[in-house]
Amino acid sequence: MPTMNLYSRDFSNRFGAELGSVVEEFVKQIGEAGLSVAQVMTGIEAFKQRAATAPWSVNPAEFVAMCTPTPEQLGLPNAEMAYRECCAHGRWPSEHNWSHGAVFAAGRETGWYELQNRTEQQTWPLFKRNYEVMCRRAVKGESFDACIPKALAAPVNKPVESQKACSIIADLRQKFGLRTANGSGN
């Protein structure tokens, strides 16, 4: 690896006596990012390509970013193209040759029936969220088999009339034998 030897020399020249702490910072950030060996190798390959045209040294955060392939590098279409593909082929999904497994998985999680029978306004936000999750899984090299936890619905705040609220509280106090702050049972 002649490129890596040059990189090592550049590191030594650039950081001198602080080289150990710089390397420790690289290792720390790689660990915190949870990168696999394969991802680190992706970063090294990206560095080699960059080394031909850019300055040698990168900081730890730049290197971590180089270790993570972008969705485009993995052949993933953009979200809108993926949505259109799912809508067009969702009637018989098992018969379509999907552009990427993440597209199929996002369609599956959104629901083939929903994609075929509901409006874009209803399905697009859910599909987009599901596709973003699947793209992150693709970048991390994870499986598309696991279901995506459903998003929580927006909270519904329905005010209760004051008199009704007091009645409910009084019923609960009586049911559980609770007393008010002044010691009475009412």
Side-chain angles (χ1 to χ4, degrees), residues 19 30 33 36 42 48 62 67 69 73 83 88 93 96 109-110 112 121 127 139 142 163 169 186:
L19 181 60
I30 288 169
S36 67
T42 298
K48 286 178 183 179
E62 288 173 321
C67 292
Q73 289 173 321
Y83 178 76
H96 179 62
E109 291 297 311
T110 304
W112 301 117
Q121 185 178 9
F127 177 86
V139 165
E142 296 175 354
Q163 190 173 358
I169 291 169
N186 301 4

Side-chain angles (χ1 to χ4, degrees), residues 6 31 57 83 137 141 157 165:
L6 289 172
S57 296
Y83 178 76
R137 287 182 182 178
N157 294 324

Side-chain angles (χ1 to χ4, degrees), residues 1 6 15 29 36 43 52 66-68 72 91 93 99 103 110 118 124 127 130-131 152-153 163 168 177 182:
M1 285 198 232
L6 289 172
F15 299 109
Q29 289 209 18
S36 67
M66 294 169 87
C67 292
T68 308
E72 294 79 20
R91 185 167 291 245
S99 61
V103 176
T110 304
R118 301 203 187 277
W124 167 247
F127 177 86
N130 291 337
Y131 189 62
L152 297 175
Q163 190 173 358
I168 292 170
N182 66 8

Side-chain angles (χ1 to χ4, degrees), residues 2 10 12 20 23 26 45 58 64 69 73 86 90 92 99 138 141 145 154 159 168 178:
D10 176 58
S12 297
V23 171
F26 268 79
E45 289 304 314
V58 294
V64 167
Q73 289 173 321
C86 285
W92 294 284
S99 61
D145 294 337
I168 292 170
L178 302 174

Side-chain angles (χ1 to χ4, degrees), residues 58-106:
V58 294
N59 66 44
E62 288 173 321
F63 183 75
V64 167
M66 294 169 87
C67 292
T68 308
T70 65
E72 294 79 20
Q73 289 173 321
L74 297 174
L76 287 155
N78 68 39
E80 188 175 327
M81 288 174 53
Y83 178 76
R84 300 283 170 231
E85 183 178 357
C86 285
C87 289
H89 301 285
R91 185 167 291 245
W92 294 284
S94 62
E95 296 179 11
H96 179 62
N97 185 18
W98 294 94
S99 61
H100 197 283
V103 176
F104 172 83

Side-chain angles (χ1 to χ4, degrees), residues 117-135:
N117 295 291
R118 301 203 187 277
T119 66
E120 182 174 341
Q121 185 178 9
Q122 293 170 317
T123 58
W124 167 247
L126 180 57
F127 177 86
K128 185 176 180 205
R129 173 187 173 269
N130 291 337
Y131 189 62
E132 288 169 356
V133 169
M134 292 302 171
C135 286

Side-chain angles (χ1 to χ4, degrees), residues 150-168:
K150 301 300 180 213
L152 297 175
V156 178
N157 294 324
K158 184 177 176 186
V160 177
E161 294 177 22
S162 177
Q163 190 173 358
K164 182 169 176 132
C166 289
S167 172
I168 292 170

